[in-house]
Amino acid sequence: MSACRADRRIRFPLFRRRTTVPAIGAALAALALSACGSGGTSGGGGETQFVQGTGGIDVVKDRDKRTDAPEISGKTLQDEQLDATEKFKGKIIVFNVWGSWCAPCRAEAKNLVKAAEAYKSKDVEFVGLNVRDPDPSLAKAFERTFKVPYPSISDASGKVILRFPKGSLNPQAIPSTIFIDRDGKIAARALKPLGEDELNETLDQLVAEK
């Protein structure tokens, strides 16, 4: 799949007047994500200690070098409050950033759904983050079409994305997938649509960690 590139213009909802100029700049930087990446893009700096895989999946091999994941919480597309960090504490969390308008998001959806069902019994939970969908009905239609069994937090303003520490394996593309280990730390990141084998390989490694 070709990428929705970073230089493409992205329209944003209006910010409240009280939002500071630096905060707006940070939000724009976080939301000006290259979408539908074909893999291979790395982010962060030397302190992240991650190793870029041949398939474009960055992995922090040394568990002591992993960065704490931020609080992942908010209103879901079904208008229910979800604190995934607390609810799934002690479990592996697969955090997928997607939009209903993104063709590669649709392409990977069936793989995410299949993995979510296959790894549920292995203490793996999936959580979506729906971005740039100001009309929730489009996102809900996406979930129905692909029979998505896990919740997605609505993040049209990009506030949840901003919680990820700068310089960490933070989301930088649509789609992005963040893998959080049982200790609540960021273990891996993909800036591309994921295939079934890639998902299974990454999850098998995390499930095997004791």
Side-chain angles (χ1 to χ4, degrees):
M1 284 292 176
S2 60
C4 296
R5 303 184 186 281
D7 58 357
R8 290 183 60 179
R9 295 183 177 232
I10 298 175
R11 293 182 175 84
F12 307 94
L14 293 176
F15 289 86
R16 298 180 184 273
R17 287 175 179 252
R18 66 185 180 187
T19 305
T20 64
V21 173
I24 293 174
L28 293 177
L31 287 175
L33 305 172
S34 63
C36 324
S38 57
T41 303
S42 296
E47 294 183 359
T48 58
Q49 303 295 324
F50 62 78
V51 177
Q52 184 179 359
T54 55
I57 301 179
D58 301 319
V59 180
V60 184
K61 297 290 187 180
D62 188 341
R63 296 169 67 177
D64 293 331
K65 301 291 185 181
R66 293 175 182 172
T67 305
D68 288 334
E71 176 186 323
I72 300 173
S73 63
K75 282 289 186 70
T76 68
L77 291 171
Q78 284 67 43
D79 201 33
E80 298 176 351
Q81 185 65 32
L82 172 65
D83 185 345
T85 308
E86 182 62 30
K87 183 175 182 179
F88 303 135
K89 188 174 183 179
K91 296 186 177 184
I92 297 165
I93 301 176
V94 181
F95 187 60
N96 178 253
V97 182
W98 64 279
S100 66
W101 44 267
C102 169
C105 297
R106 294 193 291 272
E108 74 170 356
K110 63 182 183 298
N111 299 324
L112 293 167
V113 168
K114 188 173 182 179
E117 294 170 343
Y119 285 87
K120 181 77 172 179
S121 62
K122 299 179 181 180
D123 284 339
V124 177
E125 298 288 345
F126 281 62
V127 178
L129 182 69
N130 176 245
V131 296
R132 288 181 54 198
D133 265 324
D135 183 355
S137 66
L138 298 175
K140 291 177 182 179
F142 180 103
E143 289 187 323
R144 290 194 299 271
T145 298
F146 295 101
K147 299 179 181 179
V148 178
Y150 50 85
S152 280
I153 294 170
S154 179
D155 191 33
S157 65
K159 291 181 180 179
V160 177
I161 286 179
L162 284 176
R163 296 175 189 169
F164 281 82
K166 184 178 180 180
S168 70
L169 290 181
N170 54 325
Q172 295 179 5
I174 305 170
S176 284
T177 303
I178 308 297
F179 297 84
I180 300 172
D181 67 18
R182 294 186 183 91
D183 297 322
K185 297 181 180 294
I186 303 172
R189 176 194 63 185
L191 300 179
K192 51 174 273 183
L194 287 171
E196 184 179 346
D197 291 342
E198 294 168 319
L199 268 168
N200 292 344
E201 181 179 353
T202 305
L203 285 172
D204 286 342
Q205 292 177 26
L206 293 177
V207 169
E209 292 181 351
K210 302 299 182 183

